[in-house]
């Protein structure tokens, strides 16, 4: 099973690495990090770079595509990327995203009329592309699987792993990566964090986007 | 606050990226990926590479060091790495690890007589270096903070973020990365996974180590 993880300038690292750490352990998985041009691709805060070993043009029929999120605005009219997503989607078994990666899928026209999710602060953005925003951690609409913000890609990937290879394989992967979450706080959603922290984070995100 | 994340050949990606995604969002964080030589460093299953922007020798007084785990055997007598860890530990505020990264800290002599944790399948290995293995997700012994397998680095980093910058900052980071874990299965520890899956994973890990 060929898995293409798409890197793009200003992506968010955990969006890509969370699903990678799960799905790369599937029996027969052949994971390829792809980008417009091969080479290092830097994340949104610039202190991290991951290597794309392959150009988009070299990977033409992946079985599974994963689009991470990040500071995605420049990608929403990036024709080479959107055209590639459209082209490969014609033959994928699964087309997936984490965080604002779903906005990129939507901009490529792949989520029109579909239920999808994204980072909680960007949910409304899906409407621009005639997708129906759903505030759930993982949303499955036929072969289109979208995950909420950043860390949710791990949950999405475990769920997909179960569907693809069976529950026992997915459960073994969960044990292998010791995914027995014990966060010291319980503020992982706006409802749990409360209005004050939520507004602070929203302000921070708006400022970061404006600074771009 | 200078944060050095150490990359080494055959590290595990999520061990490094989990804590990165949390701690890089601390106000004033200056994260540097370091390795013996700058450039791409490949993970244990070779399909992922991250870039070390700095050589170990260029980063001499980080406030916080994070050592990821992975297929660590070749690092346990890697003198340049162990010597660097010893040297910078003299002035760090926090010396930390994820997964089998604690075995590397232990090999550098930094966990002697201390309580520490690591991946569940490697706990006994800590005794080789006169550290006391503790089967907890995050173990704090003064400035030495060790996390269990792979995904536990996210929990460790959130806990550290709270200690360093206050709970409200850590809680905002948790919301920003939407860390509201909802794994579809509950097999993240040997006790939860049961003996059959645990033995399967142990066999797999032994085979992978032997293949090296």
């Amino acid at each position: 099973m060929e898995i293409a993880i798409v890197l793009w300038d200003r992506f968010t690292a955990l969006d890509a690495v969370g699903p990678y750490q799960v799905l790369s352990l599937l029996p027969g998985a052949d994971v390829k990090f792809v980008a417009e041009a091969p080479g290092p691709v830097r994340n949104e805060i610039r202190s991290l770079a991951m290597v794309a070993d392959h150009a988009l043009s070299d990977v033409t029929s992946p079985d599974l595509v994963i689009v991470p999120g990040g500071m995605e605005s420049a990608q929403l009219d990036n024709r080479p990327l959107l055209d590639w997503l459209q082209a490969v989607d014609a033959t994928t078994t699964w087309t997936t995203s984490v965080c604002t990666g779903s906005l990129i899928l939507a901009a490529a026209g792949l989520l029109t009329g579909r239920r999808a999710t994204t980072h909680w602060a960007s949910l409304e953005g899906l409407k621009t592309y005639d997708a129906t925003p759903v505030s759930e951690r993982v949303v499955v609409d036929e072969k289109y699987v979208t995950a909420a913000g950043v860390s949710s890609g791990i949950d999405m990937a475990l769920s997909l792993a179960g569907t693809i290879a069976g529950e026992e394989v997915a459960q073994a992967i969960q044990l292998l990566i010791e995914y027995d979450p014990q966060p010291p706080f319980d503020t992982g959603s706006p409802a749990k964090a409360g209005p004050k922290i939520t507004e602070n984070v929203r302000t921070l995100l708006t400022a970061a986007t404006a600074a771009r």
Side-chain angles (χ1 to χ4, degrees), chain A:
Chain A
M1 187 179 51
E2 189 175 56
I3 300 173
I5 304 180
V6 184
L7 302 180
W8 44 272
D9 186 51
R10 297 189 183 274
F11 76 110
T12 295
L14 186 56
D15 294 22
V17 172
Y20 169 82
Q21 198 66 62
V22 171
L23 296 171
S24 63
L25 297 171
L26 283 175
D30 173 20
V31 183
K32 292 177 174 164
F33 285 96
V34 299
E36 276 185 72
V41 181
R42 220 158 261 282
N43 75 336
E44 80 284 62
I45 54 171
R46 317 317 268 164
S47 48
L48 177 150
M50 285 176 60
V51 177
D53 287 316
H54 307 271
L56 293 177
S57 54
D58 294 335
V59 177
T60 54
S61 57
D63 301 293
L64 198 166
V65 168
I66 304 172
V67 182
M71 297 193 73
E72 78 292 346
S73 56
Q75 309 308 318
L76 299 177
D77 54 6
N78 177 351
R79 281 313 332 163
L81 173 59
L82 302 181
D83 289 348
W84 180 84
L85 286 170
Q86 278 180 343
V88 298
D89 179 66
T91 53
T92 58
T93 307
W94 301 99
T95 295
T96 77
S97 63
V98 179
C99 200
T100 55
S102 61
L103 295 176
I104 301 176
L105 289 183
L110 303 180
L111 298 180
T112 310
R114 296 196 178 274
R115 302 168 72 249
T117 196
T118 184
H119 191 280
W120 58 267
S122 297
L123 270 171
E124 289 302 300
L126 285 167
K127 292 185 183 167
T128 311
Y129 302 101
D130 297 318
T132 305
V134 179
S135 181
E136 287 171 13
R137 193 147 179 89
V138 178
V139 173
V140 182
D141 187 335
E142 295 182 355
K143 74 173 190 178
Y144 300 91
V145 186
T146 54
V150 192
S151 62
S152 62
I154 302 173
D155 294 329
M156 174 186 81
L158 274 175
S159 166
L160 256 181
T163 306
I164 292 169
E167 294 207 346
E168 199 164 307
V169 170
Q171 290 167 348
I173 292 174
Q174 182 175 4
L175 178 59
L176 192 52
I177 65 165
E178 208 163 342
Y179 185 47
D180 182 23
Q182 296 168 29
F185 313 107
D186 189 17
T187 57
S189 72
K192 291 176 173 175
K196 188 183 162 202
I197 290 177
T198 301
E199 275 322 295
N200 286 350
V201 172
R202 217 185 271 278
T203 305
L204 224 146
L205 286 169
T206 309
T209 307
R212 284 278 299 130

